[in-house]
Amino acid sequence: MPDRTRNIHERFLRHIWSRQYLDQSNLRTTDGKPLRVLEAGKLNLDGGPDFSDAKIKIGGTTFFGDVEIHRSVAEWFSHAHQNDARYNRVILHVVLQAGPKHFLTTSLSGRTIPVLILGEHLSEPIQSIWQRAILDEQARKSETIKCFPGNSAVSDLVLNGWLRKLATERLELKLRRFEERLRMLAYERLMAIREHPKTYGEPAVEGYPDEIPPPFKELTQNDFANKDLWEQILFEGLMEGLGYAKNREPFLKLAQCLTLSELRRLQLAGDDQRRIAVLFAVAGLLPKIKTLKERESKEYARQLLRAWNDVRLSVHVGKLHPSEWQFFPTRPNNFPTLRMSAANVLLARLLNDNLFRSMIQTLKSDNNPAESRKTLSRLLSVQSSGFWQHHYDFDQPARTTMVPLGLSRVNELLVNTVVPISLLYARIFKDPAVRENTLLVYESFPPLEENSLSRLMRTQLLGNKVQVASAGSQQGLIQLYKYYCIEQRCAECEVGKVVFAHDER
């Protein structure tokens, strides 16, 4: 077995752990402690440990945390996990074969992590498990939604009407999420403005409990009239969208930490170099010069470091840890470093060019939806320039010109951020023109870039009966899958009511 482990992919080992093809009767760690797997954890296909939220009893103690899978113990160190804060929650290191005795799995926090040798505890020969894994993979690929193929009897009229309703439902959920954040910011601003200095003298007379006022007053239209509030939620929405699937959380965290008001306080509105230096530094992505090999990367990093040193003593916000960012598995165009260059351009438009106001004015105009959509797209378009024109990361030159924000990503930002925020603006300020024009623009969007989820629903639900002709229809499919198919809410679904009508008799 030791000679063949290099040919065994970690994906296969993750499958063994996930399906628990183990002899559970006598599991022990390498230091002899009895082990019992209570919950194997949830598979993580992004950066960080392979499984999260595992529950494992070792000796007499039950641990909750992550599990990391490798071919050998030595790979923990070759992958530098001992220096990565993301692996501080690992409670078990699972490997196929034992390694040299001097290899101890340790975390960045200095904790020694127990090790389980898979090869010593398999429930059957590894060749048999391999055959079962092939069958499991075939079953996974043939996975279907519950109503397939019976949904072929559902009319296109029912499908189209149901998807329109679900698209509206999904849009409303996004709108309410931004409304919740807007209200939070408005309350914070209200409390800051109305807070008065301490007074001395006779204490205030306390009234009856029934007379105690509520902690927050009801917000009015005037409380939402400050454009800084709207610019901030737009900033947060755009940043989250720049994060794509892998880096939404750290980009949003960065926007809520390094706010527009903080950037204005630092007087960075008109200073591109210092602004992007602060972005990289607070994000934890400003590299150390000694780690870079390429001459151009070293020079650019030095410029950013000098700019950061000019303002660092004035920056009073927390920093993100580099481990919070995902680079792999991610396409170069979606690397957070390249996206950060796009964020810097959008920040300049928010701080200097009244980006939010320009968007609302566009939606107030009498332009046809296609023309308004083009105008909004131009407001968010970002062309590559300087260092990031031919790099997607520090020390990572690109063979072709990089596009930090392509048309497909701009369209997603418009559909997922600009449209719901504009509808929220129209609702709060009772502006029918903005509402109607925003809805018309939304309906005019072509389908966004297809993913595995939308592809599954298109092939197994729509077939050749209904075309996904708009982003709205696509959003309806996503809503249907996430809130009805996964949750098995077939009785509440218009498709399920038709397909499973006979089950109710």
Side-chain angles (χ1 to χ4, degrees):
M1 182 177 294
D3 294 332
R4 297 197 299 271
T5 56
R6 68 182 64 185
N7 298 320
I8 296 178
H9 200 281
E10 279 187 17
R11 182 171 57 190
F12 176 50
L13 301 181
R14 289 195 292 268
H15 187 80
I16 292 176
W17 177 260
S18 180
R19 295 302 181 98
Q20 286 293 288
Y21 292 138
L22 303 173
D23 179 4
Q24 302 282 352
S25 62
N26 192 31
L27 292 180
R28 288 187 177 274
T29 60
T30 53
D31 58 356
K33 293 181 180 178
L35 183 148
R36 184 182 172 197
V37 180
L38 304 176
E39 293 178 20
K42 293 180 287 188
L43 180 62
N44 171 34
L45 296 178
D46 295 331
D50 293 307
F51 290 86
S52 61
D53 300 328
K55 183 179 179 182
I56 298 170
K57 188 173 183 179
I58 302 175
T61 305
T62 300
F63 296 89
F64 298 85
D66 303 333
V67 173
E68 178 67 2
I69 313 287
H70 285 129
R71 286 179 290 261
S72 68
V73 179
E75 290 185 353
W76 178 274
F77 299 94
S78 63
H79 296 171
H81 294 334
Q82 75 278 13
N83 299 321
D84 193 333
R86 288 178 296 180
Y87 293 82
N88 274 336
R89 292 186 72 250
V90 171
I91 57 175
L92 184 66
H93 187 200
V94 178
V95 300
L96 181 60
Q97 67 170 12
K101 297 293 184 182
H102 66 275
F103 278 127
L104 291 176
T105 301
T106 56
S107 66
L108 178 62
S109 61
R111 179 173 52 88
T112 299
I113 299 170
V115 177
L116 173 69
I117 308 299
L118 274 180
E120 299 175 358
H121 300 285
L122 295 177
S123 58
E124 56 190 282
I126 199 166
Q127 292 82 1
S128 301
I129 296 176
W130 181 264
Q131 292 299 320
R132 293 179 65 175
I134 293 174
L135 295 175
D136 290 340
E137 180 68 12
Q138 290 173 346
R140 188 192 66 80
K141 287 185 176 180
S142 62
E143 184 179 357
T144 61
I145 57 177
K146 187 177 179 180
C147 65
F148 179 77
N151 57 37
S152 58
V154 181
S155 70
D156 56 352
L157 187 64
V158 170
L159 282 172
N160 279 318
W162 183 223
L163 289 180
R164 280 197 298 270
K165 182 176 180 180
L166 289 171
T168 302
E169 185 178 292
R170 186 163 181 79
L171 188 55
E172 180 67 21
L173 285 176
K174 293 176 182 177
L175 185 153
R176 290 184 181 181
R177 180 170 173 249
F178 283 114
E179 181 180 21
E180 182 180 350
R181 177 60 177 160
L182 182 71
R183 287 183 177 277
M184 183 184 298
L185 292 172
Y187 276 130
E188 288 176 359
R189 182 175 180 276
L190 194 63
M191 294 301 103
I193 290 175
R194 299 196 174 187
E195 183 176 335
H196 49 76
K198 293 181 180 179
T199 56
Y200 299 91
E202 291 294 324
V205 177
E206 295 184 6
Y208 295 103
D210 291 343
E211 297 175 353
I212 296 176
F216 297 114
K217 80 175 192 71
E218 188 66 29
L219 292 172
T220 67
Q221 207 176 74
N222 288 336
D223 295 319
F224 296 115
N226 189 293
K227 73 180 181 69
D228 291 350
L229 302 176
W230 295 92
E231 288 175 340
Q232 180 61 29
I233 64 166
L234 176 60
F235 175 43
E236 292 177 11
L238 293 177
M239 290 288 277
E240 186 177 18
L242 287 177
Y244 199 56
K246 309 294 183 185
N247 287 295
R248 286 183 178 277
E249 187 175 336
F251 262 110
L252 177 59
K253 186 176 177 181
L254 179 61
Q256 293 179 345
C257 175
L258 192 63
T259 61
L260 293 177
S261 61
E262 176 68 9
L263 290 164
R264 289 190 178 101
R265 185 188 68 80
L266 295 170
Q267 300 181 346
L268 297 177
D271 194 327
D272 282 353
Q273 185 82 320
R274 287 187 179 179
R275 189 172 58 249
I276 195 170
V278 170
L279 277 174
F280 275 115
V282 175
L285 293 176
L286 193 58
K288 295 180 180 179
I289 307 297
K290 63 181 180 181
T291 64
L292 303 175
K293 297 179 181 179
E294 190 200 33
R295 182 183 59 81
E296 189 175 2
S297 292
K298 283 187 174 183
E299 179 54 35
Y300 181 63
R302 284 194 187 97
Q303 293 174 14
L304 293 183
L305 187 59
R306 284 195 293 267
W308 166 242
N309 285 332
D310 288 341
V311 297
R312 65 185 304 170
L313 295 179
S314 301
V315 179
H316 305 304
V317 299
K319 286 186 181 181
L320 278 70
H321 193 277
S323 64
E324 296 184 56
W325 301 93
Q326 306 291 340
F327 284 82
F328 303 100
T330 303
R331 290 182 297 179
N333 276 347
N334 293 326
F335 268 33
T337 40
L338 183 63
R339 294 291 193 195
M340 204 69 72
S341 68
N344 190 44
V345 176
L346 295 178
L347 259 178
R349 294 174 189 171
L350 280 163
L351 294 168
N352 303 313
D353 301 331
N354 288 312
L355 178 60
F356 178 76
R357 183 180 180 185
S358 298
M359 288 179 169
I360 295 299
Q361 287 178 333
T362 299
L363 294 167
K364 280 179 178 287
S365 69
D366 295 327
N367 294 335
N368 62 61
E371 186 60 37
S372 294
R373 196 178 75 236
K374 289 180 181 178
T375 301
L376 292 172
S377 182
R378 284 195 295 270
L379 289 173
L380 293 185
S381 294
V382 176
Q383 302 300 319
S384 57
S385 61
F387 178 83
W388 297 108
Q389 188 172 16
H390 41 82
H391 285 79
Y392 55 89
D393 192 9
F394 295 97
D395 241 15
Q396 296 288 345
R399 296 179 180 179
T400 59
T401 301
M402 299 304 297
V403 180
L405 203 57
L407 180 60
S408 63
R409 178 57 44 192
V410 168
N411 283 340
E412 291 199 17
L413 291 174
L414 292 172
V415 168
N416 294 319
T417 299
V418 175
V419 166
I421 289 178
S422 299
L423 288 174
L424 176 59
Y425 173 92
R427 180 177 296 180
I428 288 178
F429 294 110
K430 305 186 187 315
D431 193 321
V434 171
R435 180 182 183 278
E436 294 304 319
N437 289 339
T438 300
L439 289 174
L440 289 172
V441 167
Y442 177 61
E443 292 166 2
S444 75
F445 269 99
L448 304 177
E449 191 173 48
E450 193 173 54
N451 55 34
S452 58
L453 189 158
S454 58
R455 189 180 303 112
L456 171 73
M457 296 299 287
R458 176 177 55 79
T459 56
Q460 295 193 9
L461 177 64
L462 304 184
N464 295 320
K465 293 182 298 182
V466 176
Q467 296 296 317
V468 184
S470 68
S473 297
Q474 199 176 45
Q475 292 290 301
L477 283 175
I478 295 172
Q479 185 74 1
L480 176 57
Y481 180 79
K482 288 188 173 181
Y483 290 89
Y484 292 85
C485 297
I486 289 181
E487 301 294 332
Q488 299 284 298
R489 294 169 58 191
C490 302
E492 303 172 53
C493 170
E494 296 303 318
V495 176
K497 289 175 183 177
V498 175
V499 175
F500 303 111
H502 62 280
D503 295 341
E504 300 176 3
R505 300 193 187 107

